[in-house]
Amino acid sequence: MLIDLKGRVALVTGGSTGLGRAMAERFAASGADVAILARNPEPLAAAEAAIKKAGGGNAMAVACDITDAAARDAALAQVMARFGRVDILVNNAGASQRGPIETVSRAGMVADMDLKIFAAAELIRDVVPGMKERRWGRVINVSAIIGKAPDAGSIPTSLSRAAGIAMTRALSREFAPWNILVNALCVGKIKSGQWERRYAKSGSGQSYEEFLAPIGETVPLGRIGEAEEFANVACFLASDAASYVTGAAINVDGGLCPVA
Ligand SMILES: NC(=O)c1ccc[n+]([C@@H]2O[C@H](COP(=O)([O-])OP(=O)(O)OC[C@H]3O[C@@H](n4cnc5c(N)ncnc54)[C@H](OP(=O)(O)O)[C@@H]3O)[C@@H](O)[C@H]2O)c1
């Protein structure tokens, strides 16, 4: 199926590396104008160049910590000044935060919710009036399978991911009358900056692929996923082709999650 996003504007948080960058490139390749937000300028600039190359043009990157409301407002104002609207919002920025409960602080739990839930909800709040006016919108909340199948040592991520799925479901019903579709994508194990950092920390002396191989063996499909495979699903959800899909939390996990 050829996905056509021409004339659409997509905003991807955490679009500088990993899954966010892959989605931004895929959207651009499908014809969308794409804006990305993240904190570190260097990967942002590299991603902006790659997105421009993938789509032949309209891409912008804004350095911004999305948990800083004033910085986020200013970033969104820049996106609106350049593109005039947001049709597709992808709440993707995130980081793995988990450990035994004895290691979890209140501040850590609040920070995790702040990034993955409150900043995402506030961005939705800020772009949805325009979507309502145009009676077309797509919100994709990147979540994780841990939100459906909580595991040991997974606080606070289990909490924020379950909350993200609940937010998706609630807003899908709230926005349905305006043809604004809200879905979550539940990630299993997919190559990204997170895995590159874990590999670097491991100091294992193995190649990256050797390091990932035993992790991939825990997945029914027998391998860790590629960011492009994730981006393909997001691109479908962002398009007209997904016109009857809302309120779903779709696993993109090679069959790993025990819960559908
Ligand atoms: N890959 C997996 O196997 C996996 C599994 C479960 C869930 N996920 C989720 O998938 C999403 C994408 O992560 P990834 O795996 O692609 O990892 P990644 O490569 O580390 O990407 C994370 C992105 O989020 C940005 N970010 C982090 N904190 C931010 C903040 N406060 N404000 C703005 N941007 C911020 C990062 O840029 P800066 O650091 O420069 O800000 C980066 O662009 C995350 O929500 C992650 O939790 C991934």
Side-chain angles (χ1 to χ4, degrees):
M1 184 190 302
L2 197 63
I3 300 286
D4 185 3
L5 298 182
K6 275 192 206 77
R8 304 291 186 203
V9 176
L11 173 60
V12 182
T13 70
S16 63
T17 62
L19 309 186
R21 174 169 161 171
M23 287 187 279
E25 286 187 45
R26 183 70 172 82
F27 293 164
S30 301
D33 293 339
V34 181
I36 57 171
L37 309 183
R39 293 165 302 178
N40 293 304
E42 268 179 40
L44 257 180
E48 184 181 18
I51 297 162
K52 281 185 177 154
K53 201 167 161 207
N58 296 325
M60 72 183 292
V62 189
C64 157
D65 181 338
I66 63 162
T67 64
D68 175 339
R72 193 185 60 238
D73 288 350
L76 186 57
Q78 282 189 54
V79 174
M80 296 306 277
R82 169 85 184 273
F83 292 139
R85 61 184 204 278
V86 173
D87 302 303
I88 300 158
L89 170 65
V90 184
N91 286 310
N92 164 75
S96 184
Q97 281 271 13
R98 50 192 295 184
I101 190 72
E102 294 89 339
T103 67
V104 175
S105 67
R106 183 182 182 85
M109 289 192 283
V110 170
D112 194 56
M113 290 295 281
D114 205 19
L115 173 59
K116 295 173 181 166
I117 300 301
F118 304 145
E122 288 177 317
L123 265 175
I124 295 171
R125 178 198 63 202
D126 293 344
V127 302
V128 93
M131 292 179 177
K132 283 184 173 176
E133 267 172 34
R134 294 184 294 278
R135 300 188 79 81
W136 198 99
R138 298 285 188 268
V139 177
I140 299 169
N141 296 318
V142 174
S143 186
I145 58 174
I146 201 97
K148 290 184 182 178
D151 203 356
S154 68
I155 305 295
T157 284
S158 283
L159 306 181
S160 57
R161 291 320 193 181
I165 294 169
M167 177 168 75
T168 298
R169 188 84 190 133
L171 292 179
S172 72
R173 298 172 83 85
E174 186 169 328
F175 298 156
W178 289 273
N179 189 35
I180 299 165
L181 312 184
V182 188
N183 292 289
L185 288 176
C186 299
V187 189
K189 296 175 182 182
I190 300 183
K191 286 182 200 166
S192 72
Q194 286 191 31
W195 288 100
E196 284 163 27
R197 286 191 297 277
R198 275 177 216 174
Y199 168 62
K201 249 193 209 165
S202 75
S204 66
Q206 299 166 300
S207 71
Y208 185 43
E209 294 301 330
E210 282 167 348
F211 170 77
L212 293 177
I215 299 161
E217 279 164 21
T218 65
V219 178
L221 281 182
R223 61 180 174 83
I224 192 163
E226 301 290 337
E228 293 70 23
E229 296 177 295
F230 181 81
N232 285 337
V233 185
C235 194
F236 164 72
L237 285 179
S239 74
D240 282 318
S243 52
Y244 205 56
V245 183
T246 195
I250 299 167
N251 298 344
V252 186
D253 68 341
L256 181 61
C257 187
V259 183

